[in-house]
Each structure stands twice: as structure tokens, then as C-alpha cells.
């Protein structure tokens, strides 16, 4: 019987506030208790070891012992009025940890224990001190359930935001690499292009214009060919009005011949000549590859840098800065 006297003395020491002595006595007893036949004493010992640690302000150390008491309740159905406090302390512990799910779980366990104890220990249950009575427990449970629903709602919103952001990042990354790939293809095609200028001499019958005499058409074409050979398109003053005067014709005729020969409006025709010139220049001149975008715009006779960058992208499908960067890589 010595084992059981030591077990009782360990509990007595708890009530005398000798917590360390109580822990020592109960831990000496524990290895000798048969969990099959002495599960009740084992559960009680675990409860009071846990209570000792709780009183010593070490709740994290107490919780594993309380969980062993809970295990005996679940597996063996063993509970008595003083052990009920385990569930109150666990609710208190998880409340401090702000763990709503665990609070809700131990509220359910407390309600279950109260149901059993009320049936088997009616007199004792009316005498013991309860931190939570049934009404308070149910109110607390309802409050926690409302909070969990609210948190779940916010979790859904947060997850949705994260999914949208993640999808945007994935799409952005994919789009970035696809754009890079497409730009590289356009860059390679641009370098392989054998055209030296936008305007190419075509056979006259292909571009027959019925409302202008052929003599006038051929005269305008000769002027345009000389205009291109002399690279007059690099001058900022190369406008439809100035060319009309220089070619001794009118703007309607000039625009029509250019459109039928190149398939472009006058502004696009001039811009494309400038871009073709620059592409060839940059391929052959390492010095010009060190120019700024603004300087290149000036070199090609554009009236502003934005006009140049827009025209370059419109003609090649890639930006001027990208072309310059890739060209430097190719030549390094």
C-alpha cells in the first residue's frame, strides 16, 4: 500500500502549496502505476502534476499532463468532479493563446464531462466550485463560433486576394518571358532583313494610277528615288508640303504615288525610311551604338524623342532601347 500512500501524500503536498515536493512524489509513483488497472490513479496523478506546474506559472509544462487526463476521459470514460477543472484550465490556456478552435473543442469536452458528472455525482456537482456553469459555457461557445465564422470569412477574402495576386504574378512572369521571346524573334528577323530602304522600285504596271498621267507618275518616282539615295528624309523639314514644292507637283499626286508604291501614308513612309536607316547604321557603327535614344532620334531627323520611339516600335514591333541593348550583346 506504500505506493498509494505516496500517491495521496503527493496530492496533500499540493494543497500545502509545496508544489515541487508534490511533483517529485507523484512522478516517483507514476512509473509503478499500471495504466490498465490503475488508470484512475494515473489520471489523478497527471491532473495534480499539471496543477502544480500551473501554480508555478508554467502552463506550457502543465498542458501535456492535462491532455493525459483528457485521454483517460476519452478512452476510459474516467472523470470525477475535481478532474473537471482540467477542461476549464485548458479553455483558459487556449484563450490566452487566442486559439479559438481549441477553445471551442475544450468547451465541448467540458459540456460532455458536465453531462456525465451531473448524472453520476449530483450532490458533489452542486458543491464544487465551477469557473464556468452550463449557461456561461454555452454563451462562450456561441461567441467563439461567431468569431470563427467571421475569421473564416476574412480568411476566404485573404485567400482570394492571395490567389488573385499569385495568378497575376504567374501571368505577369509568363507574359514577361513570352514578350521577351517574341521580342527576340522580332530582333533576329530585323537583323536578317535585306531591305536597305522602305521604298523599293516596283514594276510600273503593278502600280498603274488611272487618274494621273504616267509621265507625271514616273517623274514623281524619279524624284523619290533621288530623295532616298541622297537620304534627304533625314532632314526635319522633309514634309509633304516641302517635297511637293521641291518635286514641282501637288500634295494629292505625291501622296497617291507614295501610297500606291509603298502602301503607306506619307508620315509612315518617311518614318520607316528613317528607322531603316538607323537600323542599318547601328548594325554597322559601334560608335552610334553608344548614342542615347535622344541622340539617335536627332540623328534620324525626328522632331522629338517620343516620335522616334513610337515610330520605331510601330515599324519593328520592339522598342528602340531593347533593340540597342540586344545589338550591343550581339556585338560584345
Amino acid at each position: 500500500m506504500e505506493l498509494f500512500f505516496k500517491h495521496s501524500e503527493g496530492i496533500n503536498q499540493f494543497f500545502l502549496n509545496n508544489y515541487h515536493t508534490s511533483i517529485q512524489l507523484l512522478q516517483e509513483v507514476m512509473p509503478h502505476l499500471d495504466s490498465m488497472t490503475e488508470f484512475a490513479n494515473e489520471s489523478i496523478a497527471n491532473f495534480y502534476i499539471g496543477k502544480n506546474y500551473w501554480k508555478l506559472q508554467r502552463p506550457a509544462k502543465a498542458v501535456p499532463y492535462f491532455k493525459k487526463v483528457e485521454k483517460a476521459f476519452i478512452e476510459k470514460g474516467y472523470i470525477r468532479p475535481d478532474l473537471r477543472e482540467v477542461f476549464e484550465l485548458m479553455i483558459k490556456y487556449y484563450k490566452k493563446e487566442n486559439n479559438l478552435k481549441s477553445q471551442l473543442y475544450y468547451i465541448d469536452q467540458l459540456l460532455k464531462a458536465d453531462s456525465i458528472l451531473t448524472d453520476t455525482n449530483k450532490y458533489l456537482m452542486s458543491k464544487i466550485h465551477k469557473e464556468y456553469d452550463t449557461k456561461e459555457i454555452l454563451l462562450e461557445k456561441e461567441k467563439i463560433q461567431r468569431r470563427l465564422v467571421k475569421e473564416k470569412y476574412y480568411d476566404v477574402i485573404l485567400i482570394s486576394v492571395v490567389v488573385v495576386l499569385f495568378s497575376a504574378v504567374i501571368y505577369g512572369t509568363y507574359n514577361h518571358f513570352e514578350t521577351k521571346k517574341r521580342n527576340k524573334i522580332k530582333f533576329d528577323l530585323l537583323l536578317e532583313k535585306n531591305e536597305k530602304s522602305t521604298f523599293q522600285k516596283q514594276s510600273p504596271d503593278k502600280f498603274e494610277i488611272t487618274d494621273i498621267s504616267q509621265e507625271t507618275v514616273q517623274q514623281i518616282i524619279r524624284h523619290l528615288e533621288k530623295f532616298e539615295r541622297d537620304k534627304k528624309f533625314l532632314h526635319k523639314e522633309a514634309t509633304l508640303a516641302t517635297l511637293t514644292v521641291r518635286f514641282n507637283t501637288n500634295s494629292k499626286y505625291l501622296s497617291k504615288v507614295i501610297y500606291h508604291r509603298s502602301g503607306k501614308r506619307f508620315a509612315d513612309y518617311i518614318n520607316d525610311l528613317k528607322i531603316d536607316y538607323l537600323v542599318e547604321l547601328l548594325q554597322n557603327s559601334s560608335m552610334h551604338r553608344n548614342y542615347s535614344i535622344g541622340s539617335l532620334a536627332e540623328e534620324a531627323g525626328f522632331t522629338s524623342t517620343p516620335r522616334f520611339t513610337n515610330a520605331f516600335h510601330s515599324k519593328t514591333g520592339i522598342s528602340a532601347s531593347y533593340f540597342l541593348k540586344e545589338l550591343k550583346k550581339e556585338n560584345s
Side-chain angles (χ1 to χ4, degrees):
M1 299 296 293
E2 185 183 348
L3 186 68
F4 302 109
F5 280 115
K6 191 178 280 189
H7 182 279
S8 295
E9 183 57 24
I11 296 168
N12 290 338
Q13 290 299 317
F14 166 78
F15 286 106
L16 292 170
N17 301 329
N18 297 324
Y19 305 126
H20 292 289
T21 305
S22 176
I23 291 169
Q24 185 181 346
L25 286 167
L26 291 170
Q27 284 183 335
E28 284 175 13
V29 169
M30 286 291 286
H32 305 290
L33 294 173
D34 188 335
S35 59
M36 294 299 291
T37 58
E38 295 297 334
F39 61 85
N41 282 322
E42 186 180 49
S43 185
I44 293 163
N46 280 319
F47 171 64
Y48 280 101
I49 292 172
K51 283 264 284 179
N52 279 301
Y53 281 120
W54 192 273
K55 290 288 187 181
L56 290 167
Q57 305 296 315
R58 298 175 68 186
K61 191 82 171 172
V63 164
Y65 291 97
F66 292 156
K67 286 189 175 180
K68 289 176 184 177
V69 178
E70 179 201 353
K71 186 180 177 186
F73 174 59
I74 293 167
E75 293 178 359
K76 310 286 188 182
Y78 181 71
I79 191 73
R80 69 182 204 181
D82 57 341
L83 299 187
R84 175 189 183 278
E85 191 184 357
V86 160
F87 303 115
E88 290 186 339
L89 294 174
M90 291 297 271
I91 292 167
K92 191 180 289 186
Y93 175 77
Y94 284 112
K95 196 170 187 177
K96 194 173 181 182
E97 294 289 312
N98 200 28
N99 187 329
L100 295 178
K101 287 184 179 177
S102 293
Q103 282 181 67
L104 196 60
Y105 170 77
Y106 282 106
I107 283 173
D108 284 336
Q109 292 294 79
L110 181 56
L111 287 168
K112 199 184 295 180
D114 275 353
S115 176
I116 295 168
L117 288 168
T118 302
D119 290 340
T120 57
N121 299 273
K122 285 182 182 177
Y123 175 75
L124 282 173
M125 283 299 287
S126 65
K127 300 295 180 185
I128 66 167
H129 168 73
K130 298 181 192 174
E131 188 161 335
Y132 296 98
D133 61 24
T134 304
K135 188 179 177 182
E136 286 176 336
I137 295 168
L138 290 171
L139 285 171
E140 187 74 12
K141 181 178 179 179
E142 190 181 339
K143 190 164 73 174
I144 290 170
Q145 284 174 329
R146 282 200 302 269
R147 280 187 64 191
L148 280 171
V149 168
K150 194 174 179 181
E151 283 190 3
K152 191 175 180 182
Y153 171 74
Y154 286 123
D155 285 346
V156 168
I157 292 175
L158 180 62
I159 289 166
S160 301
V161 170
V162 169
V163 167
V164 168
L165 288 175
F166 181 72
S167 301
V169 168
I170 293 293
Y171 174 76
T173 304
Y174 172 78
N175 195 48
H176 169 74
F177 284 108
E178 281 298 304
T179 302
K180 198 172 178 182
K181 187 177 171 184
R182 286 194 298 270
N183 284 346
K184 188 69 172 75
I185 291 169
K186 288 174 184 176
F187 171 79
D188 292 338
L189 286 172
L190 193 57
L191 292 188
E192 290 170 13
K193 192 176 177 184
N194 292 322
E195 295 181 311
K196 298 301 179 187
S197 68
T198 302
F199 187 85
Q200 295 293 319
K201 191 172 181 180
Q202 308 282 346
S203 53
D205 58 330
K206 241 183 176 182
F207 298 94
E208 191 173 346
I209 303 171
T210 55
D211 56 344
I212 307 176
S213 71
Q214 283 301 302
E215 184 182 348
T216 303
V217 170
Q218 292 304 316
Q219 185 182 10
I220 292 172
I221 288 172
R222 284 194 296 272
H223 281 304
L224 287 170
E225 288 174 342
K226 186 174 188 310
F227 171 74
E228 290 179 20
R229 279 196 307 273
D230 296 343
K231 296 185 172 48
K232 299 291 186 183
F233 52 82
L234 296 176
H235 297 168
K236 288 181 183 178
E237 62 273 12
T239 63
L240 183 62
T242 57
L243 290 190
T244 298
V245 173
R246 187 180 298 173
F247 296 171
N248 194 25
T249 183
N250 64 58
S251 58
K252 182 181 175 183
Y253 284 4
L254 180 57
S255 295
K256 189 167 279 193
V257 171
I258 287 172
Y259 184 79
H260 278 265
R261 295 287 289 180
S262 67
K264 299 171 185 174
R265 295 181 297 106
F266 178 80
D268 294 331
Y269 163 72
I270 294 292
N271 284 344
D272 286 357
L273 284 172
K274 292 174 185 287
I275 300 302
D276 283 340
Y277 166 78
L278 268 185
V279 168
E280 187 179 355
L281 180 68
L282 290 168
Q283 282 181 268
N284 299 321
S285 170
S286 58
M287 179 183 73
H288 285 88
R289 287 196 288 272
N290 292 314
Y291 277 26
S292 68
I293 298 297
S295 297
L296 289 174
E298 187 72 27
E299 179 77 18
F302 282 96
T303 53
S304 70
T305 303
R307 282 180 185 274
F308 164 58
T309 55
N310 290 338
F312 194 95
H313 191 275
S314 177
K315 164 73 173 167
T316 65
I318 56 177
S319 68
S321 56
Y322 174 82
F323 176 75
L324 202 56
K325 184 179 75 175
E326 288 299 310
L327 201 58
K328 285 178 183 177
K329 270 196 220 171
E330 291 275 334
N331 288 277
S332 63

